[in-house]
Amino acid sequence: MQQTLWQHLTLCAQGDPRDALHDAALAVCDGQIVWQGALRDLPAAYADPLTWPREDLGGAWVTPGLVDCHTHLVYGGQRADEFAQRLAGVSYEALAQAGGGILATVRATRAADEATLFASAASRLEALLAEGVSAIEIKSGYGLDLASERKLLRVARALGERYPVSVYTTFLGAHALPPEFAGRAEAYLDEVCERMLPALADEGLVDAVDVFCERIGFSLAQSERVLQAAQRHGLRVKLHAEQLSHSGGAQLAARYHALSADHLEYLDEAGVAALKAAGTVAVLLPGAYYFIRETQLPPLELLRRYEVPIALATDSNPGTSPATSLLLMLNLATTLFRMTVPEVLQGVTCHAAQALGQGERHGTLAVGRSADFAVWQVESLAELAYWMGRPLCTQVVRAGQTVYRRRGYAEERQ
Ligand code: NIG
Ligand code: FE
């Protein structure tokens, strides 16, 4: 039995700093939290330092491990040249229509082997993990044929095996129409629904299914075909919805009890009401909003009024959000969307876990749960949204084991 008492910490167990517990302790046995509370209330059972060796965190803040609930982390190449074209005035949609955008990354991804894809995704993942991320969603969607989608999902699974992070995979075969199916969307969807999804689900590579429901992606009716196929396989769904235009995607997502509807800049009140009724999480992606210089803000006031849980994620991808920092998303969501500090913190903890259907496993620290937490050298948790690009996470603990510790240069040299 391995037992540790983590003490002298400021505990933010639910992701809301208003409920913080000062001078707290966590008793962890074999990776599980068996007690948490104020140190002065520590039961005698955990007080003997011989059986409960202590780790003193010197007053540092502790939050649940962060959850990045929407990423396209695995892909070939990058699109900095396209970024330069956009700076010169070409729109994201125009690039996509000219065979660039997602399809440019599809070409690079198809040409790359698993080892290359693993190495490039791993370097992005390492940046996220150093910020306290302990669970991440990774979508496919840059392969667009069975073998290439399989390659992406296998790399995603391998990342979860090789790094101390829980990886949840999402099949996004309906991300774009591959060139060999140009003008034949329905035939491609036959392939997605009848061949790719069944095969990949059978191989245990798919935890959820997503569709890019958009003018430059798939229509409502086309998206619905994919959601129905997911349902037939007993898989939960998500939807890229209302990102570049209003389409009614949020209502469609709600009808299929989606875990989340994501992006949502063009969401209207009927869509908000539908998300609320279905218990679907609204995932906002401020990195994409910022990077494509969107000006339509997601309807924060409506989401608040209807009490829809709001999550935040990096949307890490080469086209609209080349982001490898979840903390930067907190900064963007506060400044651009005027979200509050408690909202953004819950957005990357409990609500993000809910967006993955993993609310019982991630995003909250409680007795009976795995001891997955991040340690922050800050005076106030507002600093997580305040600093831009400053490393604040000093230690990451997963199942009671320290899996990351940030050392300063001085310490490194000793
Ligand atoms: O989440 N919207 C669709 N997919 C990505 C962008 C993909 C790309 O441009 O490569 C997104 O924004
Ligand atoms: Fe996305």
Side-chain angles (χ1 to χ4, degrees):
M1 236 177 357
Q2 195 171 4
Q3 308 186 136
T4 307
L5 186 78
W6 300 81
Q7 65 172 7
H8 293 133
L9 49 102
T10 311
L11 182 63
C12 175
Q14 314 280 342
D16 187 339
R18 293 169 298 194
D19 302 330
L21 196 58
H22 293 269
D23 210 8
L26 288 170
V28 177
C29 180
D30 291 338
Q32 246 194 22
I33 301 173
V34 292
W35 182 85
Q36 71 183 32
L39 190 55
R40 62 171 185 280
D41 299 330
L42 185 72
Y46 310 114
D48 178 359
L50 281 179
T51 46
W52 287 89
R54 297 187 175 206
E55 274 243 19
D56 197 302
L57 292 179
W61 280 85
V62 164
T63 65
L66 305 188
V67 179
D68 192 352
C69 66
H70 178 143
T71 86
H72 309 245
L73 200 73
V74 185
Y75 55 83
Q78 42 76 30
R79 306 220 299 270
D81 289 347
E82 185 180 285
F83 172 53
Q85 277 178 273
R86 283 204 298 108
L87 292 178
V90 186
S91 77
Y92 178 68
E93 287 183 85
L95 284 162
Q97 270 144 9
I102 294 172
L103 291 183
T105 300
V106 170
R107 288 189 287 276
T109 303
R110 286 180 173 179
D113 61 18
E114 279 187 30
T116 308
L117 292 169
F118 182 93
S120 71
S123 86
R124 294 185 279 272
L125 181 65
E126 285 179 17
L128 290 166
L129 300 189
E131 283 190 341
V133 169
S134 63
I136 187 170
E137 186 251 21
I138 300 179
K139 300 176 196 294
S140 68
Y142 290 116
L144 308 186
D145 62 38
L146 178 56
S148 310
E149 288 289 296
R150 177 185 286 124
K151 187 167 69 171
L152 294 177
L153 293 167
R154 280 169 49 91
V155 169
R157 284 276 190 252
L159 289 165
E161 279 151 25
R162 300 261 293 277
Y163 283 91
V165 63
S166 302
V167 169
Y168 296 96
T169 57
T170 299
F171 172 61
L172 178 58
H175 193 195
L177 202 55
E180 60 276 19
F181 281 91
R184 296 189 297 131
E186 296 300 330
Y188 179 60
L189 290 173
D190 291 344
E191 180 75 8
V192 166
C193 299
E194 309 305 330
R195 195 155 159 259
M196 291 157 77
L197 176 57
L200 298 169
D202 258 15
E203 291 166 36
L205 289 170
V206 180
D207 296 327
V209 174
D210 192 351
V211 182
F212 185 24
C213 180
E214 189 56 63
R215 293 195 291 240
I216 58 167
F218 294 89
S219 71
L220 273 184
Q222 292 170 338
S223 302
E224 184 161 11
R225 284 190 59 189
V226 181
L227 303 189
Q228 281 168 347
Q231 213 170 42
R232 285 199 295 277
H233 289 273
L235 292 165
R236 298 295 302 268
V237 299
K238 313 180 132 268
L239 203 67
H240 279 71
E242 332 281 20
Q243 179 187 10
L244 307 170
S245 59
H246 175 76
S247 69
Q251 275 119 311
L252 174 65
R255 275 218 309 287
Y256 284 82
H257 299 283
L259 290 167
S260 69
D262 302 42
H263 286 286
L264 303 176
E265 280 83 344
Y266 290 82
L267 178 65
D268 64 3
E269 183 160 0
V272 175
L275 295 182
K276 175 64 185 174
T280 298
V281 177
V283 177
L284 303 185
L285 302 164
Y289 171 91
Y290 162 76
F291 196 72
I292 61 171
R293 305 176 64 124
E294 180 58 70
T295 51
Q296 170 83 26
L297 283 163
L300 252 299
E301 275 316 319
L302 283 172
L303 291 168
R304 286 183 181 126
R305 191 168 348 123
Y306 282 80
E307 297 181 345
V308 176
I310 302 171
L312 294 172
T314 58
D315 194 15
S316 189
N317 78 70
T320 63
S321 188
T324 58
S325 167
L326 190 54
L327 291 189
L328 182 59
M329 301 305 118
L330 304 191
N331 180 270
L332 294 179
T334 47
T335 52
L336 300 174
F337 298 168
R338 293 179 190 273
M339 287 177 69
T340 65
V341 169
E343 280 174 339
V344 297
L345 289 170
Q346 291 182 308
V348 293
T349 52
C350 51
H351 291 163
Q354 200 181 326
L356 295 180
Q358 298 295 333
E360 299 298 314
R361 190 172 301 171
H362 301 289
T364 304
L365 292 170
V367 168
R369 291 191 176 220
S370 179
D372 294 350
F373 56 87
V375 181
W376 306 93
Q377 216 59 58
V378 291
E379 286 173 42
S380 130
L381 276 192
E383 289 183 62
L384 271 58
Y386 164 75
W387 296 105
M388 300 170 72
R390 183 170 179 186
L392 301 170
C393 180
T394 50
Q395 191 172 351
V396 180
V397 174
R398 189 158 190 261
Q401 301 294 321
T402 296
V403 291
Y404 171 82
R405 200 188 288 274
R406 187 169 65 79
R407 295 197 162 79
Y409 284 114
E411 242 179 289
E412 216 63 89
R413 281 198 213 101
Q414 281 164 12

